Amino acid sequence: LNLIAIPLAVLLADHSVVTRVYRSAVFFPLVLSPIVVGFLWQSVLSTTGLLNGLLASLDIKRVAFLGEPTLAVASIAFVTIWQTLGFTTILYLAALRTIPDELYEAATIDGAGPLARFRRITVPLLAPALTVNVVLLVIFFMRLYEYPLVMTQGGPVGATQTVAYLLVTNAFERSKYGYGSAIAVVMLVFVVAVSAILVAVLRRRETAIA
């Protein structure tokens, strides 16, 4: 996701009217409810959905995007990236505003091309934003619940059951409150541990770059 968001933020960094329209288009999915997004993409990716209707009109065999384990996981991942890309890009856009133009001007005078300026100036100075994005995305993915609920109901054969989905299903649908509480505690400990490790590693990387 970050590999897409960083170049996209660079492309959307200028202040032209066209760029503002593109910015709005990228950010728009973020304002939608995850439940709405789930229903939207289910209507597109289901066997009788818009995409398969288009394939059928072209005499191409329908694809079970939500019916095959591998494709279902890939579909959930795609929808997650589609909705969170705007948030990630906006954070990088904000970080790009903090980079002085003088650095790019000096690099240009020294003969650095666009790619060299991106590698030597943009990427290193976006390190703090990368740290924030990675930690927030890990937390977001760990509590992912709405897309599997709406699009696949945790299937097929449990392929899209996330930790949050298991927690809610066991605690509130099967009335296994103790099991659900145990999952919640384990998820909390795991998220805190992973976040702390990521922050420590990425902060060390920021220091090394600086």
Side-chain angles (χ1 to χ4, degrees), residues 144-165:
L144 193 63
Y145 169 70
E146 292 89 348
Y147 305 147
L149 173 68
V150 173
M151 296 174 65
T152 61
Q153 294 74 52
V157 294
T160 58
Q161 289 186 0
T162 62
V163 178
Y165 183 88

Side-chain angles (χ1 to χ4, degrees), residues 87-171:
F87 173 77
T88 309
T89 304
I90 290 298
L91 285 183
Y92 285 128
L93 275 170
L96 284 171
R97 298 287 178 85
T98 66
I99 301 177
D101 293 335
E102 291 79 5
L103 292 177
Y104 292 108
E105 293 171 1
T108 303
I109 293 173
D110 289 339
L115 183 59
R117 293 196 298 270
F118 177 76
R119 288 177 52 233
R120 302 297 182 183
I121 299 175
T122 305
V123 173
L125 294 180
L126 287 180
L130 176 64
T131 301
V132 173
N133 264 324
V134 169
V135 173
L136 291 179
L137 288 174
V138 167
I139 295 173
F140 177 83
F141 292 143
M142 283 297 299
R143 63 179 184 82
L144 193 63
Y145 169 70
E146 292 89 348
Y147 305 147
L149 173 68
V150 173
M151 296 174 65
T152 61
Q153 294 74 52
V157 294
T160 58
Q161 289 186 0
T162 62
V163 178
Y165 183 88
L166 288 173
L167 190 162
V168 174
T169 301
N170 282 282

Side-chain angles (χ1 to χ4, degrees), residues 59-84:
D59 292 327
I60 300 174
K61 183 180 178 181
R62 292 177 182 267
V63 180
F65 292 106
L66 305 178
E68 295 289 337
T70 303
L71 290 178
V73 172
S75 298
I76 296 291
F78 169 78
V79 173
T80 304
I81 291 172
W82 179 79
Q83 186 168 31
T84 56

Side-chain angles (χ1 to χ4, degrees), residues 11-22:
L11 291 175
L12 299 177
D14 65 71
H15 303 286
S16 67
V17 175
V18 175
T19 301
R20 290 176 185 173
V21 173
Y22 287 145

